[in-house]
Amino acid sequence: MARMTMWTITPEAPGSPVAAAPWRAYYTEVSDRWYLLHEGRRTDPAELEREIAAATGAELAPPHGRLLVGRYDGTPAGSAGVRLLDAQIAELTRVFVAQDMRGRGGAALLVAAAEDAARALGARRLVLDTRGDLVEARALYVRLGYTETGPHNADRYAEHWFRKELAPVN
């Protein structure tokens, strides 16, 4: 009999060790990609440590946010977070799946769970930003029904902005 392996997605406290591993992997990957593209080098280790420590994810904690961790076969392998920007708009952030777990449906499940979490927070719209070099992320968001739109923030690294209207829960 074949063994079925699947994703499970659960809320996690932003400062927990379980949440820290995907955050470190996410930040390292996107930072290294930016520096390699623009400066031909990886992120300076001291800078990496400072930035990871500074971005605690406190905004992703209840009552105004949620951090979700995806586990594949019980092992933490990805994350997604939402935070309220106002009473009806939430921002999707920290969407990440570990490289060795990509292609197994985890990203779509994490985004769907984040959409559910945003609805539970009262949001009717989800917005996000991403960079031009993160082509896989942009393709994922389009595939999941997000529409590219004008800027909703002035983040230094944001080059593309997306939004999705969230259908109410029936």
Side-chain angles (χ1 to χ4, degrees):
M1 186 164 175
R3 181 170 168 238
M4 186 86 157
T5 304
M6 58 191 313
W7 287 93
T8 56
I9 299 170
T10 56
E12 190 69 41
S16 76
V18 171
W23 169 234
R24 174 175 287 286
Y26 167 87
Y27 194 87
T28 301
E29 182 175 333
V30 297
S31 183
D32 279 352
R33 282 177 70 163
W34 191 88
Y35 276 112
L36 286 167
L37 179 65
H38 295 283
E39 297 184 14
R41 64 173 179 89
R42 294 195 180 281
T43 311
D44 174 82
E47 177 189 356
L48 186 67
E49 293 307 316
R50 275 193 314 275
E51 294 301 319
I52 288 172
T56 65
E59 71 281 5
L60 303 177
H64 303 292
R66 295 291 183 278
L67 178 65
L68 304 166
V69 169
R71 290 171 176 82
Y72 189 82
D73 198 20
T75 301
S79 65
V82 292
R83 68 182 179 125
L84 287 175
L85 298 180
D86 65 32
Q88 297 192 357
I89 300 173
E91 182 179 38
L92 177 64
T93 186
R94 294 194 187 193
V95 176
F96 175 76
V97 174
Q99 283 187 331
D100 61 339
M101 294 293 149
R102 292 178 187 164
R104 299 175 190 206
L109 292 172
L110 281 160
V111 171
E115 290 171 359
D116 289 344
R119 279 187 202 91
L121 293 170
R124 294 177 182 235
R125 174 182 299 155
L126 206 49
V127 297
L128 65 96
D129 66 72
T130 191
R131 299 190 324 230
D133 64 306
L134 300 177
V135 294
E136 311 91 352
R138 293 191 350 253
L140 171 72
Y141 299 131
V142 168
R143 188 172 74 248
L144 297 178
Y146 287 78
T147 304
E148 193 157 0
T149 187
H152 65 269
N153 64 23
D155 185 284
R156 173 182 173 192
Y157 299 105
E159 298 172 316
H160 296 270
W161 295 263
F162 291 85
R163 74 184 225 185
K164 183 177 185 179
E165 302 302 317
L166 299 174
V169 176
N170 293 329

